[in-house]
Amino acid sequence: MTIPTVEIKDDAVRLIDQTLLPAECRIREVKTKEEMWEAIRVLRVRGAPAIGVAAAGALAVEINRSSSVDSARLLEELEAAADYLATSRPTAVNLFWALERMRETGRRHRELPASELKKVLLAEARAILAEDREMGRALGEAGAELIPEGSGVLTHCNAGSLATAGFGSALSVIYVARERGKSFRVFADETRPLLQGARLTAWELGREGVDVTLICDNMAAWLMKTGKIDLVITGADRVAANGDGANKIGTYGVALLARAHNIPFYMAWPSSTLDLSLASGDQIPIEERPAEEITIIGGTRLAPEGVKTCSPAFDVTPGELIAAHVTERGIIRPPYAENFRRVFAAEQGLE
Amino acid sequence: MTIPTVEIKDDAVRLIDQTLLPAECRIREVKTKEEMWEAIRVLRVRGAPAIGVAAAGALAVEINRSSSVDSARLLEELEAAADYLATSRPTAVNLFWALERMRETGRRHRELPASELKKVLLAEARAILAEDREMGRALGEAGAELIPEGSGVLTHCNAGSLATAGFGSALSVIYVARERGKSFRVFADETRPLLQGARLTAWELGREGVDVTLICDNMAAWLMKTGKIDLVITGADRVAANGDGANKIGTYGVALLARAHNIPFYMAWPSSTLDLSLASGDQIPIEERPAEEITIIGGTRLAPEGVKTCSPAFDVTPGELIAAHVTERGIIRPPYAENFRRVFAAEQGLE
């Protein structure tokens, strides 16, 4: 669990280029907002929490590099850079949450001299990173009890160390359950089209010595039917006030299949993933990805030239299919609208 | 619909090497039973009906090539070759059905001189091929009414011309509906791991001018949820007496998702796919495929070296999830045990 997914230096954000995994674990130095926009867009860094941390880091580094000596000018640059980075991906809310937190930090310290403002922004980005690690650990501690001894656990996409700055969300639950001496088996959906399950989840679980078996997405139903899966746990990219959760495409289908087999389905996420401004998941924008991500792998064309595709990057799982949400504040059960309000009201300014 | 998926010559079975599609449409001449065993095993020829036709052809060609001048000896060779070819793949029943039909033809003509016996066997293999074409056409005619004008049709794997000697099963329904002037849209699941949907279905539907959109398997649920799918139709590899149907891995999941969205799910197959000797689908053997089919595509490694996989090639959809079976005898609705007996009793020797 010492994977350096994202690190924030004074002059660069260092991140593992996840497009190269599992063949190669290479650190990439991202020095400008344009480079970070591209890194987020092509999924060199991915996973809702990790995107938030990386974007916050890129903002701080961008401002730290600025030649402006005037704080008002730095704040303008901060706002412009945040607006720009916000266009990199639309669905995960942690990106907007982290950018907003950086903007607010800037505004709050607008009276500081430029050199101090730069330091405050770097410190804030690092605080976001540190808190993400702590939240990941805490939600793992909270959720570990959900994994019964000897069970089969299905996960989809990658909600692990590589999706966060630290322990992960869904996989943090798995890591903590294992630390506590539980023995169980994880099945990882490969997660087409970009294969985060095959490339990232299988890699990081294997590295930690967790018993992991890779399957194609379309095999999950049959494994449930034949008794190999006892629970499903995934991450989330944005959770609405009613408990609906957006996550990697395919999650909604897995949740329906779990329901059909009476298997509990859980979503695990740090509170930066919660968007109480949305009444329901219907309002979450769903990113559409390019055809080539489906039709080409490693230079091999898998489908006829010019074939039409449809490639939503995410889907929304209705709260009623989710047995519980696992957060750093603990396990939250339905009714979600009520229980989210109770647990998260203070920091979302609802009280 | 003039794709020469399988042709039977006197000295070879000619087949499109489907492992090369869509990059290349190359005809391969298969001259020996060993070559046919390999071609079936690695899916150069695939699709339950096409496997049956190809295996029958290989048997006839094998015997035609034999230097034996004695019919009794030829029949021994026929039995041995049929036993051998039966080990190529376990799930689809058409293979065993076609091999058995060739054996019976041999036994029935055991009194003929060797040269005549050879001709009879070649003729029988060609009859199996011709009947497969006719059945495909007939089931397309029978099923076309199931496709409403303006609908969205989801299919899984390839149950088209490439899966049969002629028009296909599920795709025959689509081809006939289109001939009748209906306009509709087809969504093709890519069908991991071997991508028959991306490589074959998208290719053959595109070639016929059908409006086809390729999706990853894990997108089907979301397309159903967002109202793009009005019905699902697939082929089948073996159908049991109670209406349970084995088909490509992922089919069972799609059927469950269709049920959850109140979308009808249909299976289309020629009667050579029916196995009334099995009371239920629980008795259908499920082939397990090698890890490399999941972990490597076109030389690109998609997952860490040595990762465990689980790769069932098929799953079984319970009859209660199937709104109707489409056969060359017409559309058959539940209760299947009763209605299969009524429709198919005569030729299965049950009367």
Side-chain angles (χ1 to χ4, degrees), chain B residues 13 22-23 26 30 66 75 84 115 117-118 125-126 170 186 195 229 248 268 273 331 347:
Chain B
V13 178
R26 190 197 296 169
V30 177
S66 171
L75 284 180
Y84 169 73
S115 61
L117 182 57
K118 290 177 172 183
R126 287 174 183 140
V186 178
L195 297 160
I229 310 289
K248 180 54 53 198
T273 303
I331 296 170
E347 72 268 40

Side-chain angles (χ1 to χ4, degrees), chain B residues 6 12 52 65 114 130 162 183 186 212 251 266 284 339 350:
Chain B
V6 184
R65 273 196 313 109
L162 290 166
S183 121
V186 178
V212 59
T251 303
Y266 304 111
I284 299 174
N339 290 338
L350 293 182

Side-chain angles (χ1 to χ4, degrees), chain A residues 253-267:
Chain A
V254 172
L256 278 175
L257 296 175
R259 169 62 54 91
H261 295 92
N262 290 312
I263 292 167
F265 175 92
Y266 305 111
M267 272 192 177

